[in-house]
Amino acid sequence: MGAAGFSTTESARVLLSVLFGVLPLSVVLAQEGENLSGLSNNPDKAIFAVRENSTTCLMVEFAVKFLVPYDVLALNGIDLITEQASFTLPRSAEIEGKCGSTDSEIHISWKNKAYTLRIYFTKEFRDKGVEVWKISKVQFVYDTSETSHFINAYNPGRHTANSHRLSALVTPAGLSYVCAAQQTLTLISTDHQKGVTVSMYDIQIQPFDIASDFVFSEPYKCITDQRERLEETLPLVLGMILGLIIIITLTIYHFHLKLTAAPQTQLPRDRSMYKNM
C-alpha cells in the first residue's frame, strides 16, 4: 500500500479554509496513493491508483523498463567509460499523486526514494472543440550511488532526467489509453546531458474522469496496436477474397462451357443406314 500523497499540504489548506475562510472547504480534497499490483497476474506489470475522498481519480497499469547510462573509471584510472544500467519498475513501489480537473500527476518511488518516476497529465481542448488528455511531462530521478544497478559509478550522486515538450498518449477525454506495444520516451539527464530511456508496455492509463472506483473507462487503443491488428487480419481477409474470386471464376467458366459447346452428330444405331450417309 502506497504512502498518502500530499496529505500534509492538503490538511494545512483545510485548516486555513476553516479558520480564515481563504479557500472554500468543498474544493479541498484528501488524496492518497494505492498499490494494486497484487491484482495483476503478470509479474512485470504494476497497478497504481490515486484516490480522492475514497474514490479513484487516476489509475495506471503498465510495465516499465529503464535504460540509464552512467560513467565508470577505465582500467587505466584516467579515462571514463559509459555503462548502461537496465532495470524495471518494481511492483512494490510507493505511490503519491494529485488529481485535478485539468492537471493530474503520479509519483512512483522505490529503494527509499533512490528512484522516483513522475508522470504529469494535462487535459486540453484541441481543434473543433475536441477534449483530450495527454502525458505532458515525464521526470525520472535516480541516484547512481545506489549500487544494485549502478556498479562502480564514477562520482556517484543524484540526477534528474526530464522530457522536453512532451505530448504523448493523446486520448479522447473520458477514455482510458490502452496499448500492448512498447512506447519509448527519451529523457535528458542532468548527468552530462545523457539520454535516459523509459519504455512502457502493456499499458492502460486514465488520469481523469474515472466513473467507477478502481475501474477503467472504455479503452482507446493506440495506433500501433490497431496497425498490428490490421496486419494480423489482413492476410486472412485477402485469402478469403481470393478464394471467393476463384470460386466465382470457375463457376462462370463452367456455365460458359455449357452454353458454347457445339452439338455433336449422333451416329445411327442401324448399320444399314450407313450406306445413305
Side-chain angles (χ1 to χ4, degrees):
M1 188 71 65
F6 306 96
S7 58
T8 302
T9 303
E10 296 298 337
S11 299
R13 292 177 63 192
V14 172
L15 184 60
L16 287 172
S17 301
V18 174
L19 294 178
F20 303 104
V22 177
L23 294 171
L25 184 61
S26 59
V27 302
V28 180
L29 302 173
Q31 297 172 344
E32 61 180 9
E34 292 200 28
N35 189 329
L36 308 173
S37 301
L39 300 177
S40 174
N41 295 324
N42 186 338
D44 298 324
K45 184 184 290 188
I47 306 175
F48 305 126
V50 177
R51 308 190 76 212
E52 179 179 84
N53 283 359
S54 302
T55 302
T56 307
C57 58
L58 187 158
M59 277 185 69
V60 298
E61 180 177 350
F62 54 14
V64 185
K65 183 178 181 180
F66 302 89
L67 193 62
V68 184
Y70 68 101
D71 292 331
V72 298
L73 201 60
L75 293 178
N76 60 15
I78 300 174
D79 299 324
L80 293 178
I81 300 173
T82 300
E83 297 285 354
Q84 299 280 352
S86 178
F87 49 92
T88 58
L89 175 67
R91 288 156 54 101
S92 59
E94 297 181 349
I95 313 304
E96 295 179 339
K98 280 185 177 181
C99 292
S101 58
T102 58
D103 295 281
S104 295
E105 59 193 70
I106 186 168
H107 301 182
I108 307 168
S109 303
W110 64 100
K111 291 278 186 181
N112 295 320
K113 295 189 181 296
Y115 306 94
T116 300
L117 175 66
R118 299 187 179 107
I119 306 176
Y120 300 84
F121 305 92
T122 302
K123 187 193 286 187
E124 63 185 20
F125 284 96
R126 293 280 177 101
D127 295 337
K128 299 180 181 179
V130 177
E131 191 176 23
V132 300
W133 66 260
K134 66 179 183 178
I135 293 180
S136 55
K137 181 180 178 181
V138 173
Q139 183 182 82
F140 181 53
V141 179
Y142 60 98
D143 192 342
T144 55
S145 63
E146 201 284 304
T147 57
S148 63
H149 300 304
F150 299 99
I151 311 300
N152 299 322
Y154 176 77
N155 194 21
R158 198 170 183 83
H159 303 285
T160 301
N162 286 294
S163 60
H164 180 65
R165 295 183 180 178
L166 184 62
S167 181
L169 279 56
V170 178
T171 304
L175 303 182
S176 63
Y177 177 89
V178 175
C179 196
Q182 180 172 293
Q183 306 293 301
T184 301
L185 304 173
T186 300
L187 315 182
I188 303 303
S189 174
T190 53
D191 182 14
H192 299 91
Q193 300 297 299
K194 290 182 173 64
V196 174
T197 301
V198 180
S199 299
M200 301 181 290
Y201 51 97
D202 288 341
I203 307 166
Q204 185 160 16
I205 295 177
Q206 187 172 356
F208 303 100
D209 306 318
I210 297 179
S212 301
D213 204 19
F214 297 124
V215 179
F216 286 109
S217 298
E218 181 182 347
Y220 173 79
K221 291 188 177 181
C222 64
I223 295 176
T224 306
D225 279 6
Q226 294 178 21
R227 186 183 301 116
E228 289 181 354
R229 177 66 177 171
L230 179 61
E231 290 175 352
E232 290 176 357
T233 57
L234 187 59
L236 178 61
V237 173
L238 291 178
M240 293 175 63
I241 293 174
L242 180 59
L244 184 61
I245 291 173
I246 292 173
I247 293 173
I248 293 174
T249 303
L250 291 176
T251 303
I252 294 174
Y253 179 70
H254 175 72
F255 280 106
H256 175 73
L257 289 179
K258 280 191 172 183
L259 292 174
T260 59
Q264 296 181 358
T265 304
Q266 294 185 354
L267 296 176
R269 294 183 179 180
D270 189 352
R271 294 186 178 182
S272 63
M273 299 178 63
Y274 287 170
K275 295 179 181 181
N276 301 321
M277 293 180 65

